Amino acid sequence: MNDVLLRVERLTAGYGEAPVLQDIDIEVRRGELVALVGSNGAGKTSLLRCLSRLMPVQGRIVFDGVDVTEASADAVYRAGLVQLPEGRQLFDRMSVEDNLLMGANNRSDKAGIRTDLERVYALFPRMAERRRQIAGSMSGGEQQMCAMGRALMARPKLLLVDEMSLGLAPVVVEQLMDILLQVRADGVTVLLVEQDIHLALEHADRGYVVENGRIVLADAADRLLGNPEVQRAYLGI
Ligand SMILES: Nc1ncnc2c1ncn2[C@@H]1O[C@H](COP(=O)(O)OP(=O)(O)OP(=O)(O)O)[C@@H](O)[C@H]1O
Ligand SMILES: [Mg+2]
């Protein structure tokens, strides 16, 4: 089996005339946790949206051995490329369980869905306790757990995580990070976008730094953490 799960080549994309992403080359191997870091407006969310096929692109995206550059959002989702969106985007008025089940609405294997639901509840006991609660009435951390659970219900091969820690207390972020590491240990590859650059690089295998829509650095995560340029620009050291 090819050990490259995602390959992006010369990707250029934008919302109007001027591109917000230019000539992006990235690669994610099976089992890796790769961090994508950069300041506000650098283009991180846009890149994830390109991968999820929510934006037209130039260049090439190959996922799990298949060229998906022209594929639909639905098709890549079914293929196992699943985004955990910035801001969670839950259905506020629906119950936790109904939100979780939305993640599996591309599947028809009822028994498998049941099993996966129980696995999500085992991973997030708090979600099991709150399965009948309205999602919008939970805390931010609980909503993030619900959003992660929903993404897992799609049986992702690659999970794109956008700003998981945003607005959450450090102790909650730590819990979420532990769960993400567990998910990764269970075989899910992760591409992690984070404002908290230290958090991301601390847990990642490799990282890419995006500035103004371009990849300016690519290296092992520990080397990026020790890189004086990165320290100065992003870590306040
Ligand atoms: N829907 C949109 N329409 C037009 N321009 C957009 C849109 N979304 C983002 N942009 C622009 O694209 C650029 C990249 O934005 P993007 O949201 O991808 O950055 P980001 O790295 O995720 O930033 P943040 O850290 O704030 O989440 C910015 O200049 C932004 O203003
Ligand atoms: Mg963003």
Side-chain angles (χ1 to χ4, degrees), residues 181-200:
L181 293 175
Q182 211 170 311
V183 165
R184 184 266 183 107
D186 287 343
V188 178
T189 304
V190 180
L191 182 59
L192 180 66
V193 165
E194 259 296 334
Q195 286 285 318
D196 186 338
I197 290 171
H198 194 270
L199 175 80

Side-chain angles (χ1 to χ4, degrees), residues 90 92 94-96 99 126-127 130-131 133-147:
L90 295 174
D92 280 352
M94 280 168 44
S95 71
V96 166
N99 268 284
R126 190 113 45 110
M127 293 302 103
R130 306 199 168 205
R131 62 196 342 162
Q133 192 169 328
I134 298 300
S137 68
M138 298 194 297
S139 72
E142 289 164 347
Q143 291 190 24
Q144 189 61 274
M145 288 177 194
C146 187

Side-chain angles (χ1 to χ4, degrees), residues 169-237:
V171 52
V172 177
V173 172
E174 219 168 280
Q175 282 172 5
L176 283 163
M177 199 64 203
D178 281 347
I179 291 166
L180 189 63
L181 293 175
Q182 211 170 311
V183 165
R184 184 266 183 107
D186 287 343
V188 178
T189 304
V190 180
L191 182 59
L192 180 66
V193 165
E194 259 296 334
Q195 286 285 318
D196 186 338
I197 290 171
H198 194 270
L199 175 80
L201 292 178
E202 214 181 352
H203 295 286
D205 300 304
R206 292 188 302 113
Y208 292 96
V209 179
V210 196
E211 270 174 26
N212 295 321
R214 291 177 183 274
I215 304 286
V216 294
L217 274 172
D219 209 342
D222 54 351
R223 279 205 293 270
L224 286 176
L225 267 178
N227 180 320
E229 256 178 85
V230 173
Q231 293 182 339
R232 197 167 344 103
Y234 300 108
L235 299 171
I237 298 177

Side-chain angles (χ1 to χ4, degrees), residues 52-115:
S52 292
R53 303 306 311 114
L54 297 167
M55 273 174 75
V57 300
Q58 289 174 307
R60 207 158 92 101
I61 306 170
V62 180
F63 177 66
D64 207 8
V66 178
D67 187 329
V68 296
T69 317
E70 301 293 333
S72 67
D74 188 48
V76 290
Y77 186 81
R78 274 187 277 112
L81 192 156
V82 177
Q83 185 166 350
L84 188 49
E86 189 173 355
R88 293 140 209 159
Q89 298 180 17
L90 295 174
F91 296 92
D92 280 352
R93 293 186 215 227
M94 280 168 44
S95 71
V96 166
E97 185 149 304
D98 286 343
N99 268 284
L100 293 174
L101 290 171
M102 288 302 289
N105 69 359
N106 61 323
R107 297 168 54 186
S108 52
D109 55 323
K110 283 217 169 77
I113 291 172
R114 228 42 242 179
T115 310

